[in-house]
Amino acid sequence: MTSLRRRLNLSGLLTVVVLLLLWQGIVVAGVIELQYLPAPTEIATAAVSLLRDGQLLDATAHTLSAAVLGWVLALVVGGALGVVLGTWRPARALFAPTVDVLRTLPVVALVPIAVLLLGFSTTMEITVAAWAAAWPIVVNTMGGVAAVHPRLREVAATLHFTPARRIWSIMLPAAAPLVLVGARLGLSISLIVTVIAEMIGNPKGLGYELVQMQQALRPDAMFAAMLVIGALGVLLNTALLLLSARVGVRGRS
């Protein structure tokens, strides 16, 4: 019970409750008169209704699977590229400027191109999400591996480690905190870009539901979908932190 209390941010949860009560009071009292601003109770009622007919659940499952698959792809490809650039100085000198250019490209501008190439599909979503999520993983992995203390490299050389074992046993454990930071950023970005891709180019998922509810003038359902997206982000980040703690990795704040 004590460990559970330590993991739960009770003061943060209390703040959320207070803000929701304040929101409810402002809307009910008419302090702010906005035609399409629903009260939290209306949003909760809409969410329950959408959950009962399976609409919100199906959209959530689609968005979650696409975001996680995009992130896993980004973790594998971006992590490998980061290790190569971090361990091989000539490659870092040659390709670091290219990485800087590519990672600054607006992902929203790439979605229409991805639609043209891959069509209105889940593959398009995963590809765009993986592209966007890979860059913080590349940069953090490259920086973490490049910053490994020279003495650790000397230890690996003294023990005659193969290059693969040197990376796996020495460099990645030493760079793990920075890699975790990149993974967390990549996971959040993957979810955000997945929703954007659904809003622009794929008639599925929570992003598509947001657009549909906005066009149908149903702000209660629109806010419900938006809050589910936020809850997904919190749950994914928490799951990653718990997994990293289980394997003994602590990220930097």
Side-chain angles (χ1 to χ4, degrees):
M1 178 67 83
T2 304
S3 61
L4 180 61
R5 287 178 180 175
R6 287 177 181 174
R7 290 177 181 175
L8 288 175
N9 185 352
L10 295 179
S11 59
L13 292 175
L14 181 61
T15 301
V16 171
V17 172
V18 170
L19 290 175
L20 287 175
L21 291 174
L22 183 61
W23 180 358
Q24 179 75 24
I26 288 174
V27 173
V28 172
V31 176
I32 298 178
E33 295 185 4
L34 293 175
Q35 184 178 0
Y36 295 113
L37 179 64
T41 50
E42 296 174 14
I43 297 171
T45 302
V48 171
S49 176
L50 292 172
L51 284 171
R52 282 178 178 172
D53 63 20
Q55 185 177 351
L56 189 58
L57 192 60
D58 291 343
T60 302
H62 176 86
T63 299
L64 179 62
S65 60
V68 172
L69 285 173
W71 174 73
V72 170
L73 182 60
L75 192 63
V76 173
V77 176
L81 181 58
V83 168
V84 171
L85 295 177
T87 55
W88 193 18
R89 187 172 297 176
R92 188 160 66 249
L94 285 172
F95 295 106
T98 304
V99 170
D100 288 337
V101 171
L102 291 177
R103 71 188 181 91
T104 56
L105 290 175
V107 181
V108 177
L110 297 177
V111 174
I113 299 175
V115 171
L116 284 176
L117 295 175
L118 302 172
F120 297 97
S121 63
T122 304
T123 302
M124 181 275 297
E125 281 185 63
I126 295 172
T127 302
V128 175
W131 172 274
W135 300 115
I137 296 173
V138 170
V139 172
N140 280 273
T141 303
M142 177 178 65
V145 171
V148 171
H149 200 283
R151 288 185 180 177
L152 291 177
R153 301 176 187 269
E154 293 171 4
V155 168
T158 302
L159 296 175
H160 302 288
F161 281 0
T162 62
R165 189 177 180 187
R166 186 180 306 173
I167 291 170
W168 186 257
S169 301
I170 300 293
M171 294 185 178
L172 282 180
L178 268 179
V179 175
L180 177 59
V181 172
R184 289 177 64 187
L185 289 172
L187 186 56
S188 300
I189 291 172
S190 181
L191 177 61
I192 293 168
V193 174
T194 298
V195 173
I196 292 173
E198 291 167 351
M199 295 174 71
I200 297 175
N202 193 27
K204 291 181 180 178
L206 290 170
Y208 177 70
E209 290 299 322
L210 273 173
V211 174
Q212 288 293 100
M213 295 307 171
Q214 183 262 339
Q215 293 176 348
L217 298 181
R218 288 199 57 193
D220 52 348
M222 186 179 70
F223 272 90
M226 186 177 67
L227 291 177
V228 170
I229 294 170
L232 275 183
V234 173
L235 289 174
L236 287 173
N237 184 63
T238 302
L240 182 58
L241 286 177
L242 291 176
L243 179 62
S244 62
R246 194 173 185 85
V247 298
V249 178
R250 291 175 177 263
R252 298 179 182 178
S253 304

PDB file of all heavy atoms in Angstrom, residues 2 17-18 21 55 63 80-81 83 104-105 119 125 158 164 219 232 246 250 252:
ATOM      1  N   THR A   2       1.967   1.227   0.786  1.00  0.00           N
ATOM      2  CA  THR A   2       2.846   2.386   0.853  1.00  0.00           C
ATOM      3  C   THR A   2       3.502   2.670  -0.495  1.00  0.00           C
ATOM      4  O   THR A   2       3.597   3.819  -0.920  1.00  0.00           O
ATOM      5  CB  THR A   2       3.936   2.167   1.916  1.00  0.00           C
ATOM      6  OG1 THR A   2       3.317   1.873   3.168  1.00  0.00           O
ATOM      7  CG2 THR A   2       4.798   3.400   2.067  1.00  0.00           C
ATOM      8  N   VAL A  17      -9.224  17.023  -9.745  1.00  0.00           N
ATOM      9  CA  VAL A  17     -10.602  17.016  -9.235  1.00  0.00           C
ATOM     10  C   VAL A  17     -11.098  18.436  -8.976  1.00  0.00           C
ATOM     11  O   VAL A  17     -12.227  18.801  -9.329  1.00  0.00           O
ATOM     12  CB  VAL A  17     -10.694  16.164  -7.948  1.00  0.00           C
ATOM     13  CG1 VAL A  17     -12.065  16.300  -7.307  1.00  0.00           C
ATOM     14  CG2 VAL A  17     -10.404  14.699  -8.268  1.00  0.00           C
ATOM     15  N   VAL A  18     -10.236  19.251  -8.360  1.00  0.00           N
ATOM     16  CA  VAL A  18     -10.619  20.634  -8.065  1.00  0.00           C
ATOM     17  C   VAL A  18     -10.880  21.406  -9.358  1.00  0.00           C
ATOM     18  O   VAL A  18     -11.854  22.168  -9.466  1.00  0.00           O
ATOM     19  CB  VAL A  18      -9.513  21.326  -7.234  1.00  0.00           C
ATOM     20  CG1 VAL A  18      -9.786  22.826  -7.120  1.00  0.00           C
ATOM     21  CG2 VAL A  18      -9.435  20.704  -5.843  1.00  0.00           C
ATOM     22  N   LEU A  21     -14.239  20.365 -10.801  1.00  0.00           N
ATOM     23  CA  LEU A  21     -15.338  20.966 -10.033  1.00  0.00           C
ATOM     24  C   LEU A  21     -15.485  22.450 -10.361  1.00  0.00           C
ATOM     25  O   LEU A  21     -16.604  22.969 -10.488  1.00  0.00           O
ATOM     26  CB  LEU A  21     -15.102  20.767  -8.539  1.00  0.00           C
ATOM     27  CG  LEU A  21     -15.220  19.320  -8.021  1.00  0.00           C
ATOM     28  CD1 LEU A  21     -14.824  19.253  -6.547  1.00  0.00           C
ATOM     29  CD2 LEU A  21     -16.643  18.805  -8.205  1.00  0.00           C
ATOM     30  N   GLN A  55     -18.318   2.561 -29.947  1.00  0.00           N
ATOM     31  CA  GLN A  55     -17.687   3.492 -30.879  1.00  0.00           C
ATOM     32  C   GLN A  55     -16.373   4.037 -30.329  1.00  0.00           C
ATOM     33  O   GLN A  55     -15.343   4.026 -31.008  1.00  0.00           O
ATOM     34  CB  GLN A  55     -18.653   4.636 -31.182  1.00  0.00           C
ATOM     35  CG  GLN A  55     -18.171   5.621 -32.217  1.00  0.00           C
ATOM     36  CD  GLN A  55     -19.228   6.683 -32.520  1.00  0.00           C
ATOM     37  OE1 GLN A  55     -20.371   6.591 -32.074  1.00  0.00           O
ATOM     38  NE2 GLN A  55     -18.831   7.692 -33.272  1.00  0.00           N
ATOM     39  N   THR A  63      -6.299   3.701 -32.293  1.00  0.00           N
ATOM     40  CA  THR A  63      -5.273   4.714 -32.054  1.00  0.00           C
ATOM     41  C   THR A  63      -4.138   4.165 -31.201  1.00  0.00           C
ATOM     42  O   THR A  63      -2.959   4.418 -31.481  1.00  0.00           O
ATOM     43  CB  THR A  63      -5.896   5.945 -31.380  1.00  0.00           C
ATOM     44  OG1 THR A  63      -6.897   6.501 -32.236  1.00  0.00           O
ATOM     45  CG2 THR A  63      -4.854   7.004 -31.079  1.00  0.00           C
ATOM     46  N   ALA A  80      18.948   1.926 -33.213  1.00  0.00           N
ATOM     47  CA  ALA A  80      20.089   1.391 -33.967  1.00  0.00           C
ATOM     48  C   ALA A  80      20.889   2.518 -34.622  1.00  0.00           C
ATOM     49  O   ALA A  80      22.130   2.533 -34.580  1.00  0.00           O
ATOM     50  CB  ALA A  80      19.588   0.411 -35.028  1.00  0.00           C
ATOM     51  N   LEU A  81      20.176   3.480 -35.218  1.00  0.00           N
ATOM     52  CA  LEU A  81      20.865   4.608 -35.853  1.00  0.00           C
ATOM     53  C   LEU A  81      21.612   5.445 -34.819  1.00  0.00           C
ATOM     54  O   LEU A  81      22.746   5.894 -35.057  1.00  0.00           O
ATOM     55  CB  LEU A  81      19.854   5.473 -36.607  1.00  0.00           C
ATOM     56  CG  LEU A  81      20.408   6.692 -37.356  1.00  0.00           C
ATOM     57  CD1 LEU A  81      21.453   6.264 -38.373  1.00  0.00           C
ATOM     58  CD2 LEU A  81      19.277   7.455 -38.031  1.00  0.00           C
ATOM     59  N   VAL A  83      22.883   4.397 -31.982  1.00  0.00           N
ATOM     60  CA  VAL A  83      24.068   3.655 -31.538  1.00  0.00           C
ATOM     61  C   VAL A  83      25.192   3.784 -32.557  1.00  0.00           C
ATOM     62  O   VAL A  83      26.363   4.010 -32.197  1.00  0.00           O
ATOM     63  CB  VAL A  83      23.706   2.168 -31.298  1.00  0.00           C
ATOM     64  CG1 VAL A  83      24.978   1.334 -31.126  1.00  0.00           C
ATOM     65  CG2 VAL A  83      22.821   2.023 -30.070  1.00  0.00           C
ATOM     66  N   THR A 104      13.782  18.437 -37.966  1.00  0.00           N
ATOM     67  CA  THR A 104      13.082  19.716 -37.843  1.00  0.00           C
ATOM     68  C   THR A 104      11.968  19.877 -38.873  1.00  0.00           C
ATOM     69  O   THR A 104      11.250  20.879 -38.841  1.00  0.00           O
ATOM     70  CB  THR A 104      14.068  20.885 -38.002  1.00  0.00           C
ATOM     71  OG1 THR A 104      14.757  20.763 -39.252  1.00  0.00           O
ATOM     72  CG2 THR A 104      15.089  20.899 -36.878  1.00  0.00           C
ATOM     73  N   LEU A 105      11.817  18.915 -39.776  1.00  0.00           N
ATOM     74  CA  LEU A 105      10.725  18.998 -40.751  1.00  0.00           C
ATOM     75  C   LEU A 105       9.381  18.866 -40.032  1.00  0.00           C
ATOM     76  O   LEU A 105       9.197  17.940 -39.237  1.00  0.00           O
ATOM     77  CB  LEU A 105      10.859  17.889 -41.799  1.00  0.00           C
ATOM     78  CG  LEU A 105      12.020  17.997 -42.787  1.00  0.00           C
ATOM     79  CD1 LEU A 105      12.071  16.752 -43.671  1.00  0.00           C
ATOM     80  CD2 LEU A 105      11.900  19.241 -43.642  1.00  0.00           C
ATOM     81  N   GLY A 119      -1.760   5.944 -49.087  1.00  0.00           N
ATOM     82  CA  GLY A 119      -3.211   5.923 -49.064  1.00  0.00           C
ATOM     83  C   GLY A 119      -3.781   6.140 -47.674  1.00  0.00           C
ATOM     84  O   GLY A 119      -3.054   6.340 -46.693  1.00  0.00           O
ATOM     85  N   GLU A 125      -0.505   5.800 -41.003  1.00  0.00           N
ATOM     86  CA  GLU A 125      -0.434   6.303 -39.626  1.00  0.00           C
ATOM     87  C   GLU A 125       0.852   5.847 -38.937  1.00  0.00           C
ATOM     88  O   GLU A 125       1.582   6.648 -38.341  1.00  0.00           O
ATOM     89  CB  GLU A 125      -1.623   5.780 -38.811  1.00  0.00           C
ATOM     90  CG  GLU A 125      -2.927   6.486 -39.014  1.00  0.00           C
ATOM     91  CD  GLU A 125      -3.965   5.936 -38.053  1.00  0.00           C
ATOM     92  OE1 GLU A 125      -3.766   6.079 -36.836  1.00  0.00           O
ATOM     93  OE2 GLU A 125      -4.940   5.350 -38.517  1.00  0.00           O
ATOM     94  N   THR A 158      40.035  -4.116 -22.778  1.00  0.00           N
ATOM     95  CA  THR A 158      40.875  -5.004 -21.971  1.00  0.00           C
ATOM     96  C   THR A 158      40.290  -6.411 -21.901  1.00  0.00           C
ATOM     97  O   THR A 158      41.018  -7.410 -21.937  1.00  0.00           O
ATOM     98  CB  THR A 158      41.033  -4.441 -20.549  1.00  0.00           C
ATOM     99  OG1 THR A 158      41.600  -3.127 -20.627  1.00  0.00           O
ATOM    100  CG2 THR A 158      41.911  -5.338 -19.692  1.00  0.00           C
ATOM    101  N   ALA A 164      29.671  -6.035 -30.715  1.00  0.00           N
ATOM    102  CA  ALA A 164      28.270  -6.210 -30.319  1.00  0.00           C
ATOM    103  C   ALA A 164      28.142  -6.302 -28.800  1.00  0.00           C
ATOM    104  O   ALA A 164      27.253  -5.680 -28.198  1.00  0.00           O
ATOM    105  CB  ALA A 164      27.695  -7.465 -30.971  1.00  0.00           C
ATOM    106  N   PRO A 219     -20.074  18.851 -29.029  1.00  0.00           N
ATOM    107  CA  PRO A 219     -18.876  19.171 -28.240  1.00  0.00           C
ATOM    108  C   PRO A 219     -18.670  18.234 -27.059  1.00  0.00           C
ATOM    109  O   PRO A 219     -17.523  17.999 -26.657  1.00  0.00           O
ATOM    110  CB  PRO A 219     -19.128  20.610 -27.781  1.00  0.00           C
ATOM    111  CG  PRO A 219     -20.613  20.773 -27.832  1.00  0.00           C
ATOM    112  CD  PRO A 219     -21.074  19.930 -28.971  1.00  0.00           C
ATOM    113  N   LEU A 232      -4.788   8.259 -22.493  1.00  0.00           N
ATOM    114  CA  LEU A 232      -3.882   7.312 -23.156  1.00  0.00           C
ATOM    115  C   LEU A 232      -2.428   7.742 -22.992  1.00  0.00           C
ATOM    116  O   LEU A 232      -1.550   6.915 -22.735  1.00  0.00           O
ATOM    117  CB  LEU A 232      -4.221   7.203 -24.641  1.00  0.00           C
ATOM    118  CG  LEU A 232      -5.310   6.224 -25.067  1.00  0.00           C
ATOM    119  CD1 LEU A 232      -5.434   6.213 -26.587  1.00  0.00           C
ATOM    120  CD2 LEU A 232      -5.042   4.827 -24.549  1.00  0.00           C
ATOM    121  N   ARG A 246      11.313  -1.582 -13.506  1.00  0.00           N
ATOM    122  CA  ARG A 246      11.389  -3.019 -13.294  1.00  0.00           C
ATOM    123  C   ARG A 246      12.724  -3.595 -13.776  1.00  0.00           C
ATOM    124  O   ARG A 246      13.262  -4.543 -13.191  1.00  0.00           O
ATOM    125  CB  ARG A 246      10.225  -3.713 -14.022  1.00  0.00           C
ATOM    126  CG  ARG A 246      10.003  -5.150 -13.598  1.00  0.00           C
ATOM    127  CD  ARG A 246       8.736  -5.697 -14.224  1.00  0.00           C
ATOM    128  NE  ARG A 246       8.441  -7.034 -13.737  1.00  0.00           N
ATOM    129  CZ  ARG A 246       7.788  -7.299 -12.614  1.00  0.00           C
ATOM    130  NH1 ARG A 246       7.357  -6.313 -11.867  1.00  0.00           N
ATOM    131  NH2 ARG A 246       7.537  -8.532 -12.239  1.00  0.00           N
ATOM    132  N   ARG A 250      16.523   4.278 -14.632  1.00  0.00           N
ATOM    133  CA  ARG A 250      15.876   5.513 -14.178  1.00  0.00           C
ATOM    134  C   ARG A 250      16.162   6.625 -15.155  1.00  0.00           C
ATOM    135  O   ARG A 250      17.316   6.909 -15.473  1.00  0.00           O
ATOM    136  CB  ARG A 250      16.382   5.933 -12.779  1.00  0.00           C
ATOM    137  CG  ARG A 250      15.934   4.981 -11.675  1.00  0.00           C
ATOM    138  CD  ARG A 250      16.557   5.378 -10.362  1.00  0.00           C
ATOM    139  NE  ARG A 250      16.090   4.518  -9.297  1.00  0.00           N
ATOM    140  CZ  ARG A 250      15.115   4.795  -8.476  1.00  0.00           C
ATOM    141  NH1 ARG A 250      14.462   5.940  -8.625  1.00  0.00           N
ATOM    142  NH2 ARG A 250      14.744   3.971  -7.524  1.00  0.00           N
ATOM    143  N   ARG A 252      16.108  10.605 -16.617  1.00  0.00           N
ATOM    144  CA  ARG A 252      16.400  11.922 -16.058  1.00  0.00           C
ATOM    145  C   ARG A 252      15.162  12.787 -16.163  1.00  0.00           C
ATOM    146  O   ARG A 252      14.454  12.758 -17.157  1.00  0.00           O
ATOM    147  CB  ARG A 252      17.551  12.584 -16.824  1.00  0.00           C
ATOM    148  CG  ARG A 252      18.853  11.807 -16.721  1.00  0.00           C
ATOM    149  CD  ARG A 252      19.954  12.483 -17.522  1.00  0.00           C
ATOM    150  NE  ARG A 252      21.195  11.695 -17.466  1.00  0.00           N
ATOM    151  CZ  ARG A 252      22.294  12.017 -18.097  1.00  0.00           C
ATOM    152  NH1 ARG A 252      22.326  13.105 -18.858  1.00  0.00           N
ATOM    153  NH2 ARG A 252      23.383  11.270 -18.004  1.00  0.00           N
TER     154      ARG A 252
END
